[in-house]
Amino acid sequence: MIVRLAAAGLMVTFAAPAFAQGTAAQPSTQQQPQTTQSDPNASQDVTYEEQVVVTASKSQEQLVNAPAAVSIVTTETIQNSPATNIGDLLRAVPGVNVSQVSARDVNITTRGATSTLSTSQLALVDGRSVYLDFFGMVMWDLVPTNPDEIRQIEVIRGPASAIWGANAMSGVVNVITRSPRELAGQGKGTSLTIGAGSFNRNVTGRDMDAGSLFYVNGAHAEAVNDRWSFKVGAGYFTQDPLPRPTGILPNIFRTPYPSFTNEGTKQPKFDGRVDYDIAGNGGTVTVEGGVAGTQGLIHTGVGPFNISSDSRLGYFMTRYQKGGRRVAFFTNLLDGNASNLLAFLPTGKPLPLDFNTKTFDVEANDVTAIGTAHVLSYGGNFRHNTFDISLAPAPGEDTRNEGGAYLQDEIFLGKYVRWVVGGRVDKFSSIGDAVFSPRTTFMIKPAADHTFRVSFNRAFRAPSFINNHISTTILNQVDLSRVAPLPSLSPFTFPIGAIGNPDLKQETMTAYEVGYTGIIRKRATVTAAAYWNTTKDGIYFTPNAVYGPLNPPPGWPLPPAVLALLAVNNPPVILPSRFTYLNLGNIKDKGIELGVDGAVNRYLNAFTNYSYQWMPEIADFPAGTGIADINWPAKNRFNAGFDFSYQRLLGNLTVNHTDSAYWQDVLDARFAGSTKPYTIVNTGIGVRWARDKVVTSLKVTNLANQEVQQHIFGDIVKRQVVGEARFTF
């Protein structure tokens, strides 16, 4: 109980290993003098600063006491990792499935199959949602945060709607930044990072010149006096297009990969923050804002869109925080446009996607102790969204309101047992009934550093605005040469309607988990979890009407009866006339996650983890649909690595192996297929100069230069080499 309450005011510093992956308490070596191999203290035990997380319960608590599976990525991991996007950074977290589809398009899902639009993973920056309600997804490149300012990234693996509400169905990624006073006090008041490199683009069937990338990030933080502090930061990232796959998709349709002009990405960022520490109160008022831009490809069910360079997300946030008490307001302002590279309107013009959305959110939460046996966490929020979307021109349906409240009680049943029980109620203007998300976790603690837990959660994803209100017609093509070898018939172009469904219900996940977290001899953290998830009423973009002999498509050049014969052809040729979003059946997922992360000695850290996800099982799907109508995650994922920090040298090496996965979420069944298993080896070596004020590094991803395709429709990733210089003043 005392530890739980004390954690509410604990400020944690972390060590400087290059790859401190996830769940280990990190050795506190950052402020210690460097020693040589002959140093008599070199073999002494590593001391630890206990890691603290906030995302699991919206209040600070020790990692080992969190009522959910949580992994932590520290600032040192972020700075020293060869990763140039958050997908590569989180790839080594157990249970996290990552797919990079283009230079800018990264998707992340926990404990389930990801997709080109990852809809069930909530993303936060300092508790501010960056989940885009209009499409139901996260555009990670629009997070206006300098990597050098991040304190840690917390990843909840599993449902979290009981605390965070809608769209935290499969998990939460919370990026937590350092305060201006924290940055200035650690001698990192001014920082500048510059990186440049190239990547291989020679792939099977195509010989291309090497691509290039460049990034720069700068920040300044200053404590003006004992009350005021501020920071400003800016950054820019640019990368050439990745190579596209060539040849035939590996499926029964043997569809050629469509040809289109691939795009790289450009991502400018700027943000600022001012803190005021209230005298005699212990609380802090924060005002912050920023803007992030993006350009490049985003892949969707109707094909790739090229986002124009003037697309941007601006935000403003103000909050008051004192211990576990927090009152906040934020607004996200998204404005952009894109054009489809494969889908065309009946006029022959590319399908446009223009979006202008505004989100306004106010929230409050607090933590209160009742006696010596209860810690109550409670709070709620109200959100108002406005939408102006070209794909969903629905008059009178351009706003959405949502609100919710939660209550959780952590009950101390003696020295060895804790019971967390609570729930949240949410009401959406787009959903008929209120949604209840219960949660309970029973924890047994045979010792302070060991926790066994059994938990039950229910979480949900609300239909997006596009799910409810998309309304457009696009042209599709079909190759008829196999059934009627006449040049004039192939390809045949026909229209398809894409219509939203305002009567959609929310997706609901019911999850059970058995888990363990323990710190062994204050040197390593061991984690284990087994989970069983059932998703009900999943939302899928699916055909609900097809062309047939009685309603042939416009301009059909053959007798209408041929359409019936095509439908029983091998492979079948079916011409859908309309797609919509439907709630379909139940999907059952289960898996296990095992991990060890610790210090070999005061200079060397190592980690390894393994995840296994069984083949999904489906039930109650409509006739004509089946397991091939959903994505399948990789069964086996294995990660291992080490990092070292000795005198002026630092370095790291990680190995990530991902098994085969199945994808069906781009265009139609002709473009579905499985990706091959792949193994990525990443490494880096760095040297400190000028009393650690300058660090120069060489970072390599995909050291073996394998052709890695992470989605059946996605780009190819090969070896990338980057030189980086980081300065602190």
Side-chain angles (χ1 to χ4, degrees):
M1 174 71 169
I2 296 175
V3 173
R4 175 72 169 91
L5 294 178
L10 185 62
M11 181 64 69
V12 182
T13 60
F14 297 94
F19 274 89
Q21 178 54 54
T23 53
Q26 297 304 324
S28 180
T29 61
Q30 190 172 27
Q31 303 301 325
Q32 297 176 357
Q34 296 295 329
T35 59
T36 66
Q37 290 181 332
S38 61
D39 190 321
N41 296 322
S43 61
Q44 71 184 27
D45 287 342
V46 179
T47 59
Y48 283 82
E49 300 276 357
E50 178 62 61
Q51 283 193 331
V52 170
V53 296
V54 301
T55 312
S57 296
K58 277 196 178 180
S59 62
Q60 294 186 352
E61 59 194 339
Q62 293 178 350
L63 175 66
V64 73
N65 294 329
V70 183
S71 292
I72 298 175
V73 183
T74 68
T75 184
E76 290 78 19
T77 302
I78 298 166
Q79 292 178 349
N80 297 318
S81 167
T84 54
N85 60 65
I86 196 168
D88 285 341
L89 187 64
L90 298 185
R91 193 180 303 280
V93 176
V96 174
N97 292 313
V98 177
S99 67
Q100 181 175 1
V101 194
S102 72
R104 64 143 305 278
D105 196 5
V106 175
N107 297 279
I108 299 169
T109 302
T110 304
R111 295 182 174 179
T114 190
S115 62
T116 55
L117 296 178
S118 182
T119 58
S120 61
Q121 190 82 25
L122 185 63
L124 311 165
V125 178
D126 291 331
R128 173 179 62 87
S129 174
V130 292
Y131 185 94
L132 303 179
D133 298 273
F134 85 97
F135 226 143
M137 64 175 183
V138 176
M139 295 172 67
W140 290 101
D141 49 319
L142 287 179
V143 176
T145 299
N146 189 324
D148 294 334
E149 301 173 32
I150 297 175
R151 180 195 301 167
Q152 64 191 48
I153 301 175
E154 299 180 3
V155 183
I156 294 183
R157 313 193 307 271
S161 287
I163 293 292
W164 293 101
N167 311 319
M169 192 173 78
S170 62
V172 177
V173 176
N174 191 9
V175 178
I176 300 174
T177 64
R178 298 181 186 273
S179 70
R181 193 172 299 277
E182 190 177 355
L183 284 169
Q186 292 184 350
K188 297 182 179 181
T190 302
S191 65
L192 176 67
T193 301
I194 302 174
S198 66
F199 53 93
N200 191 297
R201 295 199 291 185
N202 287 331
V203 299
T204 302
R206 184 179 302 178
D207 187 9
M208 300 177 64
D209 294 334
S212 64
L213 64 90
F214 170 80
Y215 57 88
V216 58
N217 293 294
H220 175 73
E222 184 175 335
V224 179
N225 52 42
D226 60 350
R227 293 288 172 261
W228 292 94
S229 58
F230 72 91
K231 67 177 181 179
V232 292
Y236 182 75
F237 175 84
T238 181
Q239 180 176 331
D240 287 338
L242 297 171
R244 290 290 304 158
T246 60
I248 305 298
L249 272 81
N251 59 29
I252 62 172
F253 298 97
R254 297 189 56 79
T255 309
Y257 276 101
S259 176
F260 56 83
T261 301
N262 204 8
E263 295 287 342
T265 185
K266 297 177 181 178
Q267 302 171 16
K269 291 176 169 51
F270 172 80
D271 70 326
R273 170 174 166 177
V274 176
D275 283 4
Y276 176 72
D277 298 318
I278 302 174
N281 178 275
T284 300
V285 176
T286 296
V287 178
E288 60 183 306
V291 63
T294 189
Q295 180 269 327
L297 295 192
I298 179 173
H299 289 264
T300 73
V302 293
F305 284 90
N306 182 23
I307 302 176
S308 68
S309 59
D310 60 349
S311 300
R312 60 193 180 275
L313 172 68
Y315 83 95
F316 170 81
M317 184 176 190
T318 182
R319 63 181 180 270
Y320 166 77
Q321 189 155 352
K322 179 183 178 182
R325 180 173 300 165
R326 171 187 168 104
V327 180
F329 165 82
F330 76 80
T331 179
N332 291 330
L333 308 173
L334 178 66
D335 187 8
N337 59 85
S339 58
N340 200 290
L341 301 181
L342 294 177
F344 294 86
L345 297 171
T347 60
K349 294 182 179 180
L351 178 68
L353 173 57
D354 301 322
F355 45 91
N356 188 318
T357 72
K358 298 178 176 65
T359 299
F360 306 92
D361 184 285
V362 59
E363 66 169 326
N365 55 270
D366 203 353
V367 180
T368 301
I370 300 179
T372 60
H374 298 269
V375 175
L376 290 180
S377 303
Y378 50 92
N381 78 296
F382 176 80
R383 182 174 301 175
H384 174 72
N385 291 295
T386 67
F387 305 99
D388 183 4
I389 314 294
S390 61
L391 292 182
E397 297 288 349
D398 55 356
T399 63
R400 174 175 293 180
N401 295 317
E402 57 188 88
Y406 72 93
L407 174 65
Q408 176 180 283
D409 188 6
E410 184 174 0
I411 307 169
F412 293 76
L413 301 173
K415 182 178 180 181
Y416 303 107
V417 180
R418 298 184 186 185
W419 181 26
V420 175
V421 59
R424 178 179 172 116
V425 176
D426 287 276
K427 181 66 178 72
F428 279 65
S429 60
S430 58
I431 302 176
D433 298 324
V435 182
F436 177 53
S437 303
R439 171 194 206 177
T440 185
T441 301
F442 191 75
M443 295 184 288
I444 299 176
K445 296 183 63 63
D449 289 343
H450 299 269
T451 301
F452 296 87
R453 67 180 182 276
V454 179
S455 65
F456 163 82
N457 276 275
R458 182 168 292 147
F460 76 102
R461 177 179 87 85
S464 72
F465 187 73
I466 291 291
N467 294 160
N468 287 144
H469 300 298
I470 186 174
S471 179
T472 190
T473 299
I474 60 177
L475 298 180
N476 201 353
Q477 293 183 338
V478 62
D479 183 3
L480 298 177
S481 61
R482 290 175 299 168
V483 293
L486 298 174
S488 61
L489 296 182
S490 185
F492 172 69
T493 302
F494 62 98
I496 297 178
I499 306 300
N501 182 356
D503 298 322
L504 285 171
K505 295 182 290 185
Q506 70 277 4
E507 292 187 30
T508 303
M509 176 181 287
T510 302
Y512 300 88
E513 179 183 330
V514 177
Y516 164 77
T517 302
I519 300 175
I520 309 300
R521 295 187 176 182
K522 295 189 178 299
R523 297 182 70 90
T525 298
V526 177
T527 61
Y531 61 88
W532 297 262
N533 298 341
T534 300
T535 303
K536 180 181 178 182
D537 294 325
I539 299 173
Y540 295 93
F541 193 53
T542 184
N544 67 332
V546 299
Y547 291 111
L550 299 181
N551 63 326
W556 179 246
L558 298 172
V562 173
L563 287 165
L565 298 176
L566 293 177
V568 296
N569 192 61
N570 187 18
V573 179
I574 299 175
L575 278 60
S577 61
R578 185 174 65 240
F579 276 76
T580 191
Y581 289 93
L582 297 175
N583 294 111
L584 299 180
N586 299 327
I587 300 175
K588 297 181 180 180
D589 292 290
K590 57 184 178 181
I592 57 173
E593 299 161 359
L594 306 171
V596 180
D597 187 355
V600 178
N601 55 44
R602 63 188 298 112
Y603 308 113
L604 180 66
N605 281 11
F607 77 92
T608 183
N609 59 67
Y610 172 73
S611 305
Y612 184 86
Q613 294 184 246
W614 273 265
M615 180 75 172
E617 300 177 7
I618 66 171
D620 302 324
F621 267 51
T625 60
I627 192 69
D629 292 293
I630 64 172
N631 289 351
W632 313 339
K635 286 186 177 181
N636 295 281
R637 291 183 60 253
F638 171 78
N639 304 295
F642 67 85
D643 65 82
F644 68 88
S645 177
Y646 178 72
Q647 294 188 353
R648 291 172 55 191
L649 296 178
L650 57 90
N652 53 72
L653 176 74
T654 62
V655 179
N656 311 118
H657 173 77
T658 300
D659 217 341
S660 175
Y662 173 78
W663 314 88
Q664 58 73 52
D665 58 334
V666 170
L667 300 173
D668 52 49
R670 295 171 297 163
F671 297 89
S674 299
T675 47
K676 297 179 180 179
Y678 58 85
T679 300
I680 300 177
V681 180
N682 301 330
T683 188
I685 184 75
V687 181
R688 301 183 183 93
W689 310 87
R691 298 184 178 181
D692 295 352
K693 296 296 185 181
V694 180
V695 179
T696 55
S697 304
L698 182 68
K699 302 181 177 184
V700 184
T701 58
N702 195 0
L703 181 65
N705 201 28
Q706 301 296 306
E707 291 190 10
V708 174
Q709 187 180 17
Q710 300 172 28
H711 186 285
I712 192 61
F713 204 77
D715 292 349
I716 304 295
V717 177
K718 298 196 70 177
R719 182 169 53 226
Q720 175 179 286
V721 181
V722 174
E724 181 184 276
R726 187 166 68 245
F727 307 87
T728 55
F729 309 97

